[in-house]
mmCIF file of all heavy atoms in Angstrom:
data_model
loop_
_atom_site.group_PDB
_atom_site.id
_atom_site.type_symbol
_atom_site.label_atom_id
_atom_site.label_comp_id
_atom_site.label_asym_id
_atom_site.label_seq_id
_atom_site.Cartn_x
_atom_site.Cartn_y
_atom_site.Cartn_z
ATOM 1 N N ASN I 988 -2.148 -7.500 -19.468
ATOM 2 C CA ASN I 988 -2.576 -6.908 -18.233
ATOM 3 C C ASN I 988 -1.717 -5.750 -17.817
ATOM 4 O O ASN I 988 -1.820 -5.182 -16.742
ATOM 5 C CB ASN I 988 -2.603 -7.852 -17.027
ATOM 6 C CG ASN I 988 -3.735 -8.874 -17.179
ATOM 7 O OD1 ASN I 988 -4.900 -8.490 -17.473
ATOM 8 N ND2 ASN I 988 -3.476 -10.140 -17.013
ATOM 9 N N ASN I 989 -0.795 -5.332 -18.716
ATOM 10 C CA ASN I 989 -0.022 -4.109 -18.331
ATOM 11 C C ASN I 989 -0.896 -2.877 -18.342
ATOM 12 O O ASN I 989 -1.996 -2.753 -18.942
ATOM 13 C CB ASN I 989 1.150 -4.018 -19.326
ATOM 14 C CG ASN I 989 0.824 -3.401 -20.633
ATOM 15 O OD1 ASN I 989 0.545 -2.219 -20.795
ATOM 16 N ND2 ASN I 989 0.705 -4.238 -21.571
ATOM 17 N N ILE I 990 -0.399 -1.898 -17.565
ATOM 18 C CA ILE I 990 -1.189 -0.713 -17.200
ATOM 19 C C ILE I 990 -1.477 0.018 -18.555
ATOM 20 O O ILE I 990 -2.700 0.661 -18.534
ATOM 21 C CB ILE I 990 -0.351 0.154 -16.363
ATOM 22 C CG1 ILE I 990 -1.404 1.009 -15.464
ATOM 23 C CG2 ILE I 990 0.614 1.048 -16.884
ATOM 24 C CD1 ILE I 990 -1.575 0.598 -14.112
ATOM 25 N N PHE I 991 -0.753 0.117 -19.559
ATOM 26 C CA PHE I 991 -1.049 0.862 -20.823
ATOM 27 C C PHE I 991 -2.114 0.110 -21.612
ATOM 28 O O PHE I 991 -3.045 0.646 -22.299
ATOM 29 C CB PHE I 991 0.128 1.167 -21.654
ATOM 30 C CG PHE I 991 1.002 2.127 -20.984
ATOM 31 C CD1 PHE I 991 2.366 2.302 -21.503
ATOM 32 C CD2 PHE I 991 0.776 2.799 -19.728
ATOM 33 C CE1 PHE I 991 3.242 3.087 -20.816
ATOM 34 C CE2 PHE I 991 1.578 3.649 -19.162
ATOM 35 C CZ PHE I 991 2.874 3.856 -19.700
ATOM 36 N N ALA I 992 -2.094 -1.247 -21.505
ATOM 37 C CA ALA I 992 -3.196 -2.043 -22.117
ATOM 38 C C ALA I 992 -4.576 -1.688 -21.526
ATOM 39 O O ALA I 992 -5.563 -1.533 -22.254
ATOM 40 C CB ALA I 992 -2.926 -3.481 -22.075
ATOM 41 N N LYS I 993 -4.532 -1.536 -20.113
ATOM 42 C CA LYS I 993 -5.722 -1.201 -19.416
ATOM 43 C C LYS I 993 -6.150 0.241 -19.751
ATOM 44 O O LYS I 993 -7.376 0.455 -19.955
ATOM 45 C CB LYS I 993 -5.466 -1.282 -17.951
ATOM 46 C CG LYS I 993 -5.285 -2.729 -17.485
ATOM 47 C CD LYS I 993 -5.080 -2.765 -15.970
ATOM 48 C CE LYS I 993 -4.847 -4.328 -15.620
ATOM 49 N NZ LYS I 993 -4.516 -4.426 -14.214
ATOM 50 N N ILE I 994 -5.231 1.097 -20.004
ATOM 51 C CA ILE I 994 -5.618 2.570 -20.465
ATOM 52 C C ILE I 994 -6.271 2.455 -21.908
ATOM 53 O O ILE I 994 -7.241 3.118 -22.003
ATOM 54 C CB ILE I 994 -4.401 3.371 -20.504
ATOM 55 C CG1 ILE I 994 -4.026 3.788 -19.010
ATOM 56 C CG2 ILE I 994 -4.515 4.707 -21.366
ATOM 57 C CD1 ILE I 994 -2.831 4.675 -18.910
ATOM 58 N N LEU I 995 -5.673 1.582 -22.669
ATOM 59 C CA LEU I 995 -6.208 1.512 -24.083
ATOM 60 C C LEU I 995 -7.664 0.935 -24.069
ATOM 61 O O LEU I 995 -8.492 1.235 -24.921
ATOM 62 C CB LEU I 995 -5.276 0.664 -25.003
ATOM 63 C CG LEU I 995 -4.072 1.398 -25.465
ATOM 64 C CD1 LEU I 995 -3.034 0.412 -25.985
ATOM 65 C CD2 LEU I 995 -4.405 2.470 -26.547
ATOM 66 N N ARG I 996 -7.818 0.108 -23.132
ATOM 67 C CA ARG I 996 -9.280 -0.563 -22.922
ATOM 68 C C ARG I 996 -10.231 0.399 -22.302
ATOM 69 O O ARG I 996 -11.402 -0.107 -21.975
ATOM 70 C CB ARG I 996 -9.201 -1.917 -22.290
ATOM 71 C CG ARG I 996 -8.451 -3.009 -23.125
ATOM 72 C CD ARG I 996 -8.719 -4.404 -22.587
ATOM 73 N NE ARG I 996 -8.195 -4.654 -21.289
ATOM 74 C CZ ARG I 996 -6.862 -5.174 -20.970
ATOM 75 N NH1 ARG I 996 -6.208 -5.578 -22.049
ATOM 76 N NH2 ARG I 996 -6.582 -5.282 -19.813
ATOM 77 N N GLY I 997 -9.669 1.449 -21.737
ATOM 78 C CA GLY I 997 -10.618 2.414 -21.056
ATOM 79 C C GLY I 997 -10.873 1.965 -19.533
ATOM 80 O O GLY I 997 -11.722 2.463 -18.965
ATOM 81 N N GLU I 998 -10.076 1.050 -19.056
ATOM 82 C CA GLU I 998 -10.264 0.574 -17.666
ATOM 83 C C GLU I 998 -9.543 1.445 -16.589
ATOM 84 O O GLU I 998 -9.887 1.357 -15.447
ATOM 85 C CB GLU I 998 -9.652 -0.770 -17.581
ATOM 86 C CG GLU I 998 -10.393 -1.863 -18.259
ATOM 87 C CD GLU I 998 -9.673 -3.121 -18.628
ATOM 88 O OE1 GLU I 998 -8.667 -3.451 -17.741
ATOM 89 O OE2 GLU I 998 -10.108 -4.035 -19.439
ATOM 90 N N ILE I 999 -8.603 2.301 -17.129
ATOM 91 C CA ILE I 999 -7.901 3.228 -16.237
ATOM 92 C C ILE I 999 -7.983 4.553 -16.992
ATOM 93 O O ILE I 999 -7.686 4.656 -18.128
ATOM 94 C CB ILE I 999 -6.434 2.817 -16.023
ATOM 95 C CG1 ILE I 999 -6.441 1.452 -15.245
ATOM 96 C CG2 ILE I 999 -5.653 3.893 -15.322
ATOM 97 C CD1 ILE I 999 -5.079 0.982 -14.961
ATOM 98 N N PRO I 1000 -8.297 5.675 -16.185
ATOM 99 C CA PRO I 1000 -8.325 7.012 -16.919
ATOM 100 C C PRO I 1000 -6.919 7.511 -17.288
ATOM 101 O O PRO I 1000 -5.885 7.042 -16.728
ATOM 102 C CB PRO I 1000 -8.991 7.887 -15.873
ATOM 103 C CG PRO I 1000 -8.701 7.192 -14.510
ATOM 104 C CD PRO I 1000 -8.592 5.748 -14.884
ATOM 105 N N ASN I 1001 -6.895 8.452 -18.254
ATOM 106 C CA ASN I 1001 -5.623 9.143 -18.682
ATOM 107 C C ASN I 1001 -6.060 10.427 -19.073
ATOM 108 O O ASN I 1001 -7.157 10.743 -19.441
ATOM 109 C CB ASN I 1001 -5.036 8.351 -19.779
ATOM 110 C CG ASN I 1001 -5.623 8.429 -21.085
ATOM 111 O OD1 ASN I 1001 -5.351 9.329 -21.847
ATOM 112 N ND2 ASN I 1001 -6.705 7.642 -21.390
ATOM 113 N N LYS I 1002 -5.032 11.301 -19.153
ATOM 114 C CA LYS I 1002 -5.208 12.658 -19.672
ATOM 115 C C LYS I 1002 -4.684 12.636 -21.098
ATOM 116 O O LYS I 1002 -3.349 12.795 -21.382
ATOM 117 C CB LYS I 1002 -4.362 13.707 -18.733
ATOM 118 C CG LYS I 1002 -5.103 13.852 -17.381
ATOM 119 C CD LYS I 1002 -4.358 14.985 -16.603
ATOM 120 C CE LYS I 1002 -5.105 15.008 -15.258
ATOM 121 N NZ LYS I 1002 -4.297 15.882 -14.293
ATOM 122 N N THR I 1003 -5.545 12.560 -22.057
ATOM 123 C CA THR I 1003 -5.198 12.371 -23.442
ATOM 124 C C THR I 1003 -4.757 13.679 -24.013
ATOM 125 O O THR I 1003 -5.451 14.652 -23.869
ATOM 126 C CB THR I 1003 -6.411 11.647 -24.187
ATOM 127 O OG1 THR I 1003 -6.698 10.369 -23.693
ATOM 128 C CG2 THR I 1003 -5.969 11.638 -25.784
ATOM 129 N N VAL I 1004 -3.780 13.671 -24.892
ATOM 130 C CA VAL I 1004 -3.209 14.848 -25.469
ATOM 131 C C VAL I 1004 -3.600 14.620 -26.985
ATOM 132 O O VAL I 1004 -3.854 15.630 -27.702
ATOM 133 C CB VAL I 1004 -1.691 14.922 -25.325
ATOM 134 C CG1 VAL I 1004 -1.054 15.945 -26.168
ATOM 135 C CG2 VAL I 1004 -1.334 15.177 -23.802
ATOM 136 N N LEU I 1005 -3.467 13.330 -27.388
ATOM 137 C CA LEU I 1005 -3.736 13.176 -28.908
ATOM 138 C C LEU I 1005 -4.181 11.710 -29.105
ATOM 139 O O LEU I 1005 -3.614 10.782 -28.426
ATOM 140 C CB LEU I 1005 -2.498 13.434 -29.718
ATOM 141 C CG LEU I 1005 -2.555 13.140 -31.211
ATOM 142 C CD1 LEU I 1005 -3.384 14.184 -31.934
ATOM 143 C CD2 LEU I 1005 -1.160 13.062 -31.804
ATOM 144 N N GLU I 1006 -5.251 11.501 -29.799
ATOM 145 C CA GLU I 1006 -5.601 10.111 -30.238
ATOM 146 C C GLU I 1006 -5.721 10.088 -31.761
ATOM 147 O O GLU I 1006 -6.298 10.870 -32.479
ATOM 148 C CB GLU I 1006 -6.922 9.655 -29.637
ATOM 149 C CG GLU I 1006 -7.261 8.282 -29.990
ATOM 150 C CD GLU I 1006 -8.286 7.646 -29.158
ATOM 151 O OE1 GLU I 1006 -8.902 8.355 -28.360
ATOM 152 O OE2 GLU I 1006 -8.482 6.425 -29.363
ATOM 153 N N THR I 1007 -4.963 9.070 -32.321
ATOM 154 C CA THR I 1007 -5.073 8.844 -33.835
ATOM 155 C C THR I 1007 -5.638 7.368 -34.114
ATOM 156 O O THR I 1007 -5.916 6.711 -33.115
ATOM 157 C CB THR I 1007 -3.695 9.009 -34.527
ATOM 158 O OG1 THR I 1007 -2.823 7.894 -33.974
ATOM 159 C CG2 THR I 1007 -3.122 10.383 -34.183
#
Side-chain angles (χ1 to χ4, degrees):
N988 285 318
N989 78 76
I990 204 99
F991 295 168
K993 292 179 181 175
I994 284 176
L995 284 167
R996 289 195 295 267
E998 295 166 10
I999 291 177
N1001 74 93
K1002 293 186 179 168
T1003 297
V1004 172
L1005 176 72
E1006 180 165 11
T1007 65

